[in-house]
């Protein structure tokens, strides 16, 4: 089974909590703090595995979590770090944020290992908080929370050249003739449901990788049929061979077909539609066999329509091989003038920028109680694991409010020194 798309959920490990303890040896009556640090949580790491060529495994296992770090202990014992989780993916997998669809990383080119989510740092034990004025701190830092993400994984074919065209125009036949690929071929639409890759070896030339992109239909850009699944594989190709049935064996007009497919490419992604294209006018061996008048000269019609636009037209027969050699060398010459680096999708979403954010919250003034009320799930969680009775813990929480713009929102509402701020049953006096 070929699978080129999957949705999964990943979670890094939580950092272990720092420990609060004090030395209690027999001859040390006033022992200092000796609480150990928590261990770091495990990270979520993606790695390329050249032995994989499908995302089918992710259809069966959808949740992946790294280990949590262990808590610190007495006698300065540091908690054990949580184990990382390494997720293997095929070369060419694009990893996107699940909701927005923005690219996090593209496992292509030299990018063979990526840390998607770093584990939470372990919290400091109370030994770190001893000062000349506070020799017995009863506060330890909690470990950082685990991070989680829903991801879209998409496997996009790595090929220099893509074969595009309506179903049953001869793409699979051409691929099987010019490469070592052996696609299944039959005389019905959508016979090719998976992209087939092959290497074209040319005498005296470098050669290139070619992909038979499954047949497109009108409406593909809107997801009709398997449109999006097919179009996704064209995104990496540098050049396209647009194959048409020049003999009109199914009664369609080849010129109209070319415009229809180009319209779908434009609707899906204008940048793809602007890439170089050559036209392979296929089935030239059948032009006389289907009762078409030779005087109509279908090849001449196609050339007259598209060559003035700079698009080369090559009459070929994928069955007999006529004209195929000229097509392949022309494509190779075009590729030699292009950048030979693979097309890599740039990062659009940065998971680390989402960390330590307050998330959705509200800041309002309650006129009846004469107090300002701040609420939000992340704020409630912060209050739950921050020791507000310690000077450092309170400073940490204040910095969190400032960093997330909550202090600024209070000031915009007109808060004055001495006014009351309430957060989930706790009341604070506001001072700058």
């Amino acid at each position: 089974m070929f699978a080129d798309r999957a949705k999964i959920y990943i979670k890094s490990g939580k950092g272990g909590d720092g420990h609060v303890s004090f030395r209690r040896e027999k001859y040390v009556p006033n022992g200092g703090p000796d609480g150990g640090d928590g261990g770091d949580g495990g990270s979520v790491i993606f790695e390329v595995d050249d032995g994989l060529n499908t995302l089918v495994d992710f259809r069966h296992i959808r949740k992946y979590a790294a280990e949590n770090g262990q808590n610190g202990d007495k006698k300065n014992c540091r908690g054990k770090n949580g184990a990382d989780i390494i997720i293997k993916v095929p070369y060419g997998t694009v990893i996107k944020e699940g909701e927005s669809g923005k690219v996090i990383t593209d496992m292509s080119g030299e990018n063979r290992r990526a840390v998607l989510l770093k584990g939470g740092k372990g919290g400091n034990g109370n030994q770190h908080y001893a000062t000349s004025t506070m020799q017995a701190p009863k506060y330890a830092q909690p470990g950082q929370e685990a991070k989680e993400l829903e991801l879209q994984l998409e496997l996009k074919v790595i090929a220099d050249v893509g074969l595009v065209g309506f179903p049953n125009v001869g793409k699979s036949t051409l691929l099987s003739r010019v490469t070592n690929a052996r696609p299944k071929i039959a005389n019905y639409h959508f016979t090719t449901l998976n992209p087939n890759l092959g290497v074209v070896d040319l005498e005296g030339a470098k050669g290139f990788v070619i992909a038979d992109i499954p047949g497109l239909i009108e409406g593909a850009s809107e997801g009709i049929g398997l449109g999006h699944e097919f179009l996704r594989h064209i995104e990496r190709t540098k050049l396209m061979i647009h194959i048409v049935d020049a003999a009109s064996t199914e009664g369609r007009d080849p010129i109209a077909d070319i415009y229809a497919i180009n319209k779908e490419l434009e609707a899906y992604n204008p940048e793809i539609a602007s890439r170089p294209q050559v036209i392979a006018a296929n089935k030239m061996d059948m032009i006389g066999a289907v009762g078409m008048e030779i005087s109509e000269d279908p090849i001449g019609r196609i050339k007259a329509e598209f060559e003035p636009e700079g698009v080369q037209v090559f009459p070929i027969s994928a069955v007999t091989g006529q004209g195929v050699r000229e097509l392949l060398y022309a494509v190779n010459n075009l590729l030699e003038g292009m950048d030979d680096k693979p097309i890599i999708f740039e990062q659009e979403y940065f998971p680390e920028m989402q960390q330590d954010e307050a998330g959705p919250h509200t800041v309002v003034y309650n006129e009846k109680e004469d107090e300002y009320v701040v609420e939000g799930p992340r704020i409630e969680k912060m209050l739950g694991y921050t020791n507000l009775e310690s000077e450092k813990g309170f400073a940490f929480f204040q910095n969190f409010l400032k960093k997330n713009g909550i202090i600024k929102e209070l000031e915009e509402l007109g808060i004055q020194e001495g006014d009351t701020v309430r957060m989930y049953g706790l009341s604070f006096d506001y001072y700058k």
Side-chain angles (χ1 to χ4, degrees):
M1 178 186 181
F2 182 88
D4 65 356
R5 203 174 189 188
K7 269 202 171 186
I8 65 170
Y9 164 87
I10 61 171
K11 185 177 183 179
S12 64
K14 177 189 179 300
D17 296 337
H19 190 70
V20 176
S21 62
F22 300 90
R23 294 176 62 189
R24 288 292 182 265
E25 288 102 280
K26 186 175 181 180
Y27 300 106
V28 186
N30 296 313
D34 70 348
D37 301 343
D40 295 338
S43 298
V44 181
I45 300 168
F46 281 77
E47 280 188 358
V48 169
D49 184 338
D50 292 321
L52 297 175
N53 57 13
T54 171
L55 299 175
V56 70
D57 290 346
F58 296 102
R59 299 277 177 94
H60 308 299
I61 304 174
R62 294 182 180 270
K63 294 185 178 181
Y64 298 83
E67 273 188 356
N68 294 333
Q70 292 184 356
N71 295 337
D73 207 344
K74 57 188 176 182
K75 296 185 178 179
N76 298 324
C77 287
R78 188 181 190 278
K80 183 181 176 183
N81 290 342
D84 297 335
I85 184 168
I86 297 176
I87 302 171
K88 305 281 190 178
V89 294
Y91 182 74
T93 301
V94 179
I95 301 171
K96 299 180 177 182
E97 195 273 326
E99 188 174 342
S100 67
K102 291 182 177 179
V103 174
I104 299 175
T105 190
D106 182 350
M107 306 300 288
S108 306
E110 296 179 0
N111 182 29
R112 300 185 65 85
R113 190 175 193 272
V115 179
L116 257 283
L117 291 180
K118 283 191 173 181
K121 282 186 65 67
N124 289 330
N126 69 333
Q127 58 173 308
H128 293 276
Y129 300 102
T131 66
S132 57
T133 57
M134 184 187 293
Q135 296 184 7
K138 296 179 181 178
Y139 168 74
Q141 185 184 33
Q144 285 184 349
E145 289 293 303
K147 306 298 186 293
E148 50 194 275
L149 268 180
E150 188 174 41
L151 302 177
Q152 293 178 26
L153 305 184
E154 292 185 3
L155 180 57
K156 297 180 189 284
V157 168
I158 307 287
D160 302 304
V161 177
L163 299 178
V164 297
F166 271 82
N168 206 31
V169 293
K171 298 190 305 300
S172 296
T173 305
L174 179 64
L175 187 76
S176 64
R177 169 168 285 280
V178 302
T179 76
N180 58 358
R182 292 292 176 263
K184 292 180 180 178
I185 301 168
N187 190 28
Y188 55 90
H189 289 187
F190 288 103
T191 180
T192 307
L193 294 181
N194 306 324
N196 290 292
L197 284 177
V199 178
V200 177
D201 293 316
L202 296 174
E203 187 178 345
K206 185 179 175 182
F208 51 87
V209 179
I210 191 168
D212 165 21
I213 308 300
L216 299 178
I217 59 173
E218 290 181 85
S221 61
E222 300 167 10
I224 294 174
L226 297 176
H228 282 156
E229 279 70 14
F230 294 167
L231 286 161
R232 188 160 52 247
H233 292 295
I234 306 172
E235 294 185 10
R236 288 199 198 271
T237 56
K238 299 172 186 174
L239 181 152
M240 278 170 281
I241 298 176
H242 196 145
I243 303 186
V244 291
D245 177 1
S248 299
T249 58
E250 296 190 349
R252 293 198 313 269
D253 176 24
I255 292 176
D257 279 3
I258 293 169
Y259 281 122
I261 293 295
N262 285 341
K263 183 181 175 183
E264 295 304 320
L265 295 177
E266 176 74 28
Y268 179 71
N269 187 331
E271 195 273 326
I272 295 173
S274 69
R275 290 178 193 164
Q277 190 176 113
V278 299
I279 294 171
N282 192 26
K283 303 189 181 183
M284 59 182 292
D285 57 304
M286 297 182 68
I287 289 175
V290 294
M292 181 180 290
E293 294 291 334
I294 300 299
S295 60
E296 288 187 33
D297 188 15
I299 303 296
R301 283 182 61 230
I302 297 170
K303 286 188 173 188
E305 184 75 22
F306 294 102
E307 287 197 336
E309 304 295 323
V311 179
Q312 292 178 275
V313 178
F314 296 88
I316 69 164
S317 169
V319 172
T320 67
Q322 187 178 356
V324 170
R325 188 175 186 276
E326 292 79 3
L327 168 68
L328 297 179
Y329 274 95
V331 167
N332 194 74
N333 288 338
L334 286 170
L335 287 172
E336 284 182 349
M338 298 178 183
D339 189 344
D340 61 358
K341 290 182 180 178
I343 293 173
I344 307 292
F345 296 95
E346 300 210 353
Q347 186 170 10
E348 303 168 319
Y349 185 93
F350 299 83
E352 63 274 11
M353 301 295 287
Q354 316 305 316
Q355 299 175 5
D356 297 329
E357 291 187 356
H361 62 268
T362 57
V363 181
V364 297
Y365 174 64
N366 185 330
E367 192 171 348
K368 183 179 178 182
E369 300 293 336
D370 190 24
E371 63 184 12
Y372 294 83
V373 181
V374 179
E375 292 181 335
R378 184 83 173 106
I379 295 164
E380 185 178 19
K381 188 180 284 189
M382 287 289 290
L383 285 168
Y385 69 73
T386 304
N387 184 357
L388 298 174
E389 294 181 7
S390 84
E391 186 179 338
K392 285 184 179 287
F394 193 75
F396 172 74
F397 185 67
Q398 277 188 310
N399 188 54
F400 167 81
L401 297 177
K402 186 175 182 181
K403 178 181 175 183
N404 288 283
I406 295 168
I407 299 293
K408 184 180 179 182
E409 289 183 53
L410 287 167
E411 289 173 349
E412 288 174 351
L413 285 174
I415 195 168
Q416 301 294 319
E417 289 202 2
D419 287 351
T420 301
V421 180
R422 181 168 56 81
M423 302 184 199
Y424 293 96
L426 296 174
S427 294
F428 304 88
D429 291 334
Y430 172 80
Y431 291 100
K432 282 193 175 182

